[in-house]
Amino acid sequence: MHDLVIFDCDGVLVDSEMIAQQVIVDRLAPCGLVLSTRQSADLFVGGTIQSASEEATRLGAELPADWVPETYSAIFEALRDNTPLIANVVDLLDQLDRRGLQYCVASNGPLAKMEITLGQNGLWQRFEGRRWSAHDVGHAKPHPGLFLHAARAMNAELEACIVIEDSASGVKAAAAAGMRCLGFAAHCDGANLRALGAEVFHDMADVPALLAMHGS
């Protein structure tokens, strides 16, 4: 029986990942690191901009001191009024409400970013009091602390939580927290997520059946 569904934000609630990755690609090229958006996604999706800067530096980029805050600003601007919802996610939330199953969002991104992406789609208010950011909690995925914090805040038992994630770091965090994880693979076969222990699915419309399989 599940007590709580924990959603990641980018790539799970809103289709924002490739928008953000294009900004990162554009801002890394002048610093000596040329990547495609697919390469950028493989390297950076699921992390923070700080962790992206550290990995980019390791790969040879020479980043200015203000690269992290300026990249956040550029991503926020690119996402503003231009971030669609993931298909069928609102219907999924409606079904969770009808079942009386509580849910929340836990993201490595800052709340300011969630306010932009969720706000333009009506979900910011819907998740009122149920929004958690690694920037505030102090632990970013793949550390389990963000999910553990969400479970405590929502008064849910760890083994009764289910996480919906689209990144390797998120799947690892769920596993470390002792939580069941559904791996959302909208544009690929999800083999990387499956290899880490996630139950892979490809459409938010599939989630109610996956929950029902476990008696929720």
Side-chain angles (χ1 to χ4, degrees):
M1 186 72 177
H2 293 302
D3 292 337
L4 174 66
V5 179
I6 304 175
F7 288 89
D8 179 39
C9 185
D10 296 296
V12 171
L13 293 173
V14 289
D15 196 5
S16 54
E17 290 288 15
M18 289 303 105
I19 298 172
Q21 293 308 314
Q22 186 61 59
V23 172
I24 292 172
V25 165
D26 292 345
R27 290 186 54 77
L28 284 177
C31 300
L33 183 59
V34 177
L35 300 170
S36 68
T37 53
R38 184 68 262 167
Q39 289 171 320
S40 180
D42 290 342
L43 286 168
F44 306 132
V45 163
T48 63
I49 299 302
Q50 179 61 43
S51 65
S53 74
E54 293 165 0
E55 179 64 8
T57 299
R58 189 187 69 79
L59 293 172
E62 297 183 5
L63 305 182
D66 63 353
W67 191 87
V68 169
E70 289 299 315
T71 299
Y72 268 123
S73 295
I75 289 173
F76 290 178
E77 188 59 33
L79 293 172
R80 201 177 307 277
D81 301 323
N82 191 38
T83 308
L85 288 170
I86 294 294
N88 296 317
V89 77
V90 171
D91 183 60
L92 171 57
L93 296 177
D94 289 344
Q95 291 193 56
L96 295 180
D97 283 338
R98 287 194 293 270
R99 292 186 185 200
L101 185 56
Q102 63 177 351
Y103 52 85
C104 65
V105 56
S107 173
N108 270 355
L111 287 174
K113 182 182 178 185
M114 282 192 268
E115 186 171 11
I116 290 170
T117 58
L118 300 180
Q120 65 192 263
N121 291 300
L123 294 189
W124 176 254
Q125 295 84 357
R126 189 163 188 167
F127 282 88
E128 178 67 39
R130 297 176 289 171
R131 304 181 293 247
W132 315 109
S133 167
H135 288 248
D136 302 311
V137 173
H139 295 295
K141 310 166 197 175
H143 191 284
L146 181 59
F147 291 152
L148 296 174
H149 177 88
R152 286 194 298 268
M154 300 294 289
N155 296 311
E157 298 294 332
L158 300 183
E159 63 273 14
C161 294
I162 184 166
V163 172
I164 301 181
E165 269 287 351
D166 70 323
S167 71
S169 65
V171 175
K172 290 176 182 176
M179 298 175 180
R180 182 185 174 208
C181 185
L182 302 184
F184 179 51
H187 307 295
C188 64
D189 64 4
N192 61 322
L193 304 181
R194 185 177 291 107
L196 294 170
E199 301 168 48
V200 173
F201 70 104
H202 304 282
D203 190 316
M204 287 297 164
D206 298 333
V207 173
L210 290 168
L211 295 178
M213 287 170 55
H214 286 248
S216 186

